[in-house]
Amino acid sequence: MPFNWHPNEPPPPIEPHSKAKLRVLRNYLRAYFDRLGTVYARDEFKLDLVDGFAGGGTFLDGSETISGTPLIMLEEAREAKTRLAHGRRKRIHFDFKFYFVDVKAAHTDHLRQAMAERGYNANDEAVVIRTGKFEDNVRTILQEIKKRQPRAGRSLFLLDQFGYSQVALRHVADILSELPRAEVILTFAADALINFLRDRPEFVKAVAPLEMSDTDVRELLDLKKSHGGKALVQRALRTRLRQVTAAKFDTPFFIRPTSSARALWFVHLSRHPTARDVMVQRHWDLANTFEHFGPGGLNMLGWDERGDYPLFQFGDVEHKLVHEQLLASVPAEIHALAAESPVTVDAIRHMLANRTAARFSDLDRVLLDLYKGREVEIHLANGNLRGSSTMHLNSTDLIAQPRQRSIFVRGGGVHEQ
Ligand SMILES: C[S@@+](CC[C@H](N)C(=O)[O-])C[C@H]1O[C@@H](n2cnc3c(N)ncnc32)[C@H](O)[C@@H]1O
């Protein structure tokens, strides 16, 4: 059921899966700020945060009032300012700007009230609250961000829609193509879409925001009827989300509501592998909140003839399994990738990111184990062989097949001798 807020009424009660979503968002924002704080030793720190389906700002959790997504953004930004300023010799200037959009005036009114009660100024230049549809506001927001941050467009967009087709994917494509450093978190009720899948004009019209034609809908229906059923449709939808938005990296994990069998996807889309890795790390940290059907190795969302999809829950068992599966499958990948010349650790991470639930640190451990087992060689960027007791990889290290004994770097390229 959609949530409703009104300034004169208590906020709506929260449901378990929404609570899980809030937890991961808070955790992600914290990690996001910390990463930027350590990576960028600068005096100024600009970021735009957009909540396109903001809601009224609070929920009732039993007798307690808890923060919704716009307040979580404000709270984490405020805390990050204190945390990141700590221990710095030079004063650092944080320049955060927030955009909160909701189509209902009662919701934005409730949000203003909730902000005021917590000491946030809704009339501040740094907080823009807009009553209206996200799709009618996104263009202006994009322009404002580009004006403030012409080069990087560093921004986070949370698009917490109700259902699966309120967010037209072309808007996500615009965000990712116009703002090089943007990340988008999109909720997507994939199971609801699969259940409603029909070869009817009303349905085809409903999924037009996903850039689906009647032929696409018929193809999904064929998949649904096939042996692979729902799992195949999920895989096709995941591919569509990534292709239409032109996101290079995604995380296809979902929250399973206890109250219903329908899973809600919480998809993170970006053009940066590090952004994807920070999000996957959150899933491992918050095990049991996020799940996905399939193995965690390289064929994570590949089609498995047998059609049996184990439930993957980011726990200790899965961690061990992912390691074993990767140990078995990565050598063949390296064989293909490094057939001509050695490849960097970074390139391997990028190639494999969308195909596994592993973090980059997990992939590194696999590469180190393969090195110990003499299945690969690891060279420093200058071509020297890494010491055999090495415990740590650099992104510029080169992975080679054992036969590529001797390499040297010529004009930036790496060649076999
Ligand atoms: C799931 S609720 C958001 C909850 C909020 N993100 C949170 O967890 O605190 C979805 C909100 O989107 C709003 N909404 C629905 N369609 C919209 C649209 N096209 N543009 C902007 N907001 C919309 C609804 O009024 C509702 O408040």
Side-chain angles (χ1 to χ4, degrees):
M1 248 204 11
F3 295 111
N4 268 313
W5 286 268
H6 194 280
N8 303 329
E9 289 167 19
I14 190 143
E15 293 159 9
H17 68 284
S18 298
K19 218 167 136 183
K21 180 176 69 191
L22 297 180
R23 236 168 22 113
V24 85
L25 176 71
R26 192 182 282 287
N27 200 297
Y28 184 70
L29 287 172
R30 210 166 281 177
Y32 183 96
F33 285 122
D34 283 351
R35 179 168 60 87
L36 286 189
T38 51
V39 173
Y40 298 93
R42 356 194 188 117
D43 312 340
E44 194 182 55
F45 190 17
K46 266 192 189 175
L47 174 69
D48 289 59
L49 296 110
V50 183
D51 193 340
F53 294 72
T58 53
F59 291 97
L60 269 187
D61 184 17
S63 57
E64 197 192 341
T65 302
I66 62 166
S67 301
T69 53
L71 283 178
I72 288 178
M73 286 183 174
L74 290 167
E75 287 160 5
E76 286 306 317
R78 186 184 266 181
E79 281 186 23
K81 281 183 183 176
T82 319
R83 204 167 58 242
L84 298 180
H86 189 75
R88 285 203 185 229
R89 264 188 294 129
K90 246 182 163 179
R91 222 176 104 81
I92 179 163
H93 175 59
F94 295 97
D95 184 358
F96 297 150
K97 184 152 184 172
F98 302 84
Y99 297 87
F100 300 143
V101 184
D102 199 287
V103 72
K104 288 196 180 166
H107 294 190
T108 45
D109 286 347
H110 189 278
L111 174 60
R112 278 196 195 88
Q113 188 175 297
M115 281 175 60
E117 282 165 8
R118 285 157 185 78
Y120 294 105
N121 186 355
N123 298 316
D124 190 334
E125 246 190 34
V127 183
V128 177
I129 299 183
R130 300 230 164 99
T131 306
K133 289 185 172 172
F134 171 71
E135 48 276 37
D136 295 339
N137 281 281
V138 62
R139 192 67 353 246
T140 329
I141 294 176
L142 275 174
Q143 275 156 2
E144 288 175 28
I145 297 177
K146 283 199 278 190
K147 210 161 131 200
R148 245 170 65 79
Q149 300 192 64
R151 232 162 38 86
R154 189 178 294 288
S155 48
L156 275 179
F157 283 74
L158 174 69
L159 305 178
D160 186 16
Q161 62 182 335
F162 187 79
Y164 46 82
S165 59
Q166 284 182 308
V167 176
L169 295 185
R170 72 192 149 84
H171 295 315
V172 180
D174 288 347
I175 295 168
L176 293 177
S177 72
E178 293 180 36
L179 307 172
R181 289 274 164 186
E183 296 179 30
V184 177
I185 297 173
L186 174 72
T187 50
F188 189 80
D191 281 5
L193 187 158
I194 296 169
N195 284 352
F196 291 130
L197 204 54
R198 301 276 183 284
D199 187 9
R200 299 236 180 91
E202 320 79 85
F203 186 80
V204 175
K205 195 171 160 214
V207 292
L210 309 178
E211 312 277 312
M212 271 193 206
S213 63
D214 44 359
T215 318
D216 295 324
V217 169
R218 274 197 295 277
E219 274 174 19
L220 286 187
L221 270 168
D222 287 345
L223 289 178
K224 189 176 168 182
K225 283 186 217 136
S226 72
H227 174 53
K230 194 169 116 179
L232 273 190
V233 187
Q234 285 183 348
R235 280 150 178 74
L237 284 175
R238 178 199 179 191
T239 309
R240 171 161 295 272
L241 284 184
R242 206 169 57 227
Q243 281 174 349
V244 176
T245 62
K248 287 201 182 118
F249 300 98
D250 71 341
T251 54
F253 308 116
F254 57 75
I255 309 169
R256 178 165 290 279
T258 42
S259 53
S260 95
R262 287 187 191 169
L264 177 73
W265 285 5
F266 187 82
V267 192
H268 176 261
L269 299 158
S270 69
R271 291 195 162 180
H272 283 273
T274 318
R276 171 263 175 209
D277 199 48
V278 172
M279 183 52 103
V280 174
Q281 177 77 49
R282 303 311 29 103
H283 294 306
W284 285 97
D285 287 355
L286 301 171
N288 299 330
T289 298
F290 280 85
E291 299 175 342
H292 118 98
F293 280 101
L298 281 186
N299 203 21
M300 192 173 80
L301 281 185
W303 163 232
D304 181 341
E305 252 308 298
R306 290 165 305 157
D308 54 345
Y309 296 100
L311 189 60
F312 187 94
Q313 287 183 299
F314 298 94
D316 291 344
V317 177
E318 283 81 2
H319 188 225
K320 202 163 159 267
L321 272 175
V322 165
H323 190 74
E324 283 164 10
Q325 286 165 0
L326 290 176
L327 270 182
S329 49
V330 166
E333 297 289 326
I334 291 181
H335 184 75
L337 284 172
E340 297 284 316
S341 55
V343 280
T344 61
V345 167
D346 217 23
I348 292 180
R349 290 172 178 170
H350 295 196
M351 297 280 194
L352 304 184
N354 285 328
R355 295 168 52 196
T356 172
R359 293 155 286 198
F360 291 162
S361 54
D362 299 321
L363 277 175
D364 287 2
R365 264 195 298 281
V366 170
L367 293 174
L368 286 168
D369 277 2
L370 292 174
Y371 184 39
K372 280 186 204 122
R374 294 172 188 259
E375 291 198 53
V376 297
E377 283 185 358
I378 304 180
H379 299 257
L380 298 168
N382 64 9
N384 291 341
L385 205 60
R386 251 201 186 280
S388 57
S389 59
T390 189
M391 302 287 287
H392 169 78
L393 290 180
N394 289 330
S395 59
T396 51
D397 283 354
L398 292 157
I399 307 296
Q401 296 187 72
R403 66 177 174 81
Q404 292 168 335
R405 291 265 164 239
S406 161
I407 58 169
F408 65 94
V409 182
R410 192 198 300 141
V414 178
H415 308 269
E416 267 182 75
Q417 246 177 358

